[in-house]
Amino acid sequence: MGIISGLIGNASETDLADVKKDYGKLLGRNEDVLQAYQWVRDLLIFTDYRLILVDIQGATGKKVDYHSIPYRSIRHFAVESTGHFDLEAELKIWVAGLGAEPLVYTFSKDADVYKVQALLAECVGK
């Protein structure tokens, strides 16, 4: 299912200062990190202009694949909250040009998936 399909585990919110320090070289001149979520090594970074997918590959982690998705390319998205027996929340994002299947992200029960949804609604609606 693409870049994220190989991720194991659930995402949790990560410190923005660390993300800005480690990935600031990816940002445009006036671009700012709004939220970031991390799996074991991979990241989902929300900026005020785009979504950045950071896929750290290999055993050493020296090879890194960066994907940039402008918010205008997001056709629609869905959020599924946690339940009594399902302790994971999901975010699905349909991107123009990537076919009918969405990108799927699983979040830990501690992550506020409604915060993610609100940010996407704001950014996609610009």
Side-chain angles (χ1 to χ4, degrees), residues 1-10 39-42 54-58 102-106:
M1 185 157 4
I3 181 175
I4 301 303
S5 64
L7 293 176
I8 299 172
N10 300 325
W39 285 264
V40 176
R41 297 189 304 176
D42 300 332
V54 181
D55 181 16
I56 299 174
Q57 302 175 0
L103 299 173
V104 179
Y105 305 92
T106 305

Side-chain angles (χ1 to χ4, degrees), residues 16-34:
L16 294 183
D18 290 342
V19 172
K20 290 175 185 178
K21 184 182 99 192
D22 295 341
Y23 298 98
K25 64 185 175 205
L26 299 175
L27 303 177
R29 185 183 339 237
N30 297 316
E31 191 172 16
D32 192 27
V33 175
L34 303 175

